Amino acid sequence: MNRRFTRHIDAGEVLFDVGERGHEAFIVAAGAVEIVGTVGGERRRLARLGPNELFGEMALMGDQTRTAQAIACEPTTVYVIPHDTFSGCLHRADPLLRHLLRLTILRARAALRDDLASQLTPPDYETLQDDHLDAEREVVLQRLLIEQDLAEALDRDEFSLHYQPILRLADGDVTGFEALLRWRHPAHGAVSPAVFVPVAEASGQIVPMGHWIIDTAVAAAARIAARPGPTLTVALNLSIRQFDDPQLFPTIEAALARHQLAPDRLKLEITESLVMSNFDASRDLLRRCKDRGIGLSVDDFGTGYSSLSYLHQLPVDTLKLDRSFLSDVLTNPASLKIVRAVARLAADLGMQTVAEGVETTEQAEALKAIGIDCAQGFLYSRPAPLDQVLESLQSA
């Protein structure tokens, strides 16, 4: 461990004392430490800790008061765990585990403070009142409820796909659609994808949901393909959890066969971060899809990392620019230059470009002028159910 996180203490030296404000925990590297507390007015040894044992961890909840004393029994070396290090790990943890850990430590502190000897007295729950903990509790409870409801939503037929058109800027013709997941909760109505999709991904429920999305989107693409007119594609998004699913490609193959859809009518959208999280595996799967004739898009282009150095190795045919570039494309010369550079890069690589989130005619005209091929957004249409899409295509 880094030397600045290592501390050497002499025999008899007090590492921390009762009543001190603590912001570190420790692991015994060598030697031994005694934990001493006052029980019934008498000073007693509560524990003797040796190598690899953790102590002082209750302080990691943030500047907590020490409820016992730690003394080196012999020359001892300890590893220091700063509060900031722990907070970073805690922030990255699953919200439920994070909340349970906080609550467990706070209740343990309350029990220890109420009756250090037996630890049988119920915790003083008044000491657990904390605005941050209450807010965190609400987030955790909401997530648990969403996760439980998601588990039944598929069987209850609460999901649907809406389709947003993608238009060619040169002539305004529709070239395809993006399939977007919607959830109508029986009690709460429409639930935002920004709320339930992260829960589905974290819980793994996105995998069975993904199978349904693939089959439903392919079925919709087959209905769109059955109408007379130009070739139109349907694009669907893949999450990082779906890439770990060994049934992903077989599910796509089965859906194409079941609905008798030509592979070139289907597009898969992946984000840069998804690709870069496991580049080799992603590239192999994308090549299998490309060899099958399925179109591939990099979604939210420009928000990931190492894009340019790896882009030529990926068998993608479309770059979708993140909407963050469009918010000030008319007023910020830097944003305009970035979008123009992406358009040129894509053209040089033989790729098509799509701008997401287009909301004004001025944005569309600016994008067209600098060479962006296609656009989608509220300027043209909000996502709509399949029947409404088919009706609009027929009227057009």
Side-chain angles (χ1 to χ4, degrees), residues 37 51 81 189 221 231 287 300 340 342:
I81 305 175
T231 299
R287 283 177 175 169
D300 298 336
R340 182 186 291 114
V342 172

Side-chain angles (χ1 to χ4, degrees), residues 165-185:
I166 301 170
L167 288 79
R168 189 164 45 239
L169 287 171
D171 54 19
D173 287 346
V174 174
T175 64
F177 298 86
E178 180 180 358
L180 299 166
L181 182 62
R182 296 292 183 262
W183 179 24
R184 179 160 291 279
H185 191 281

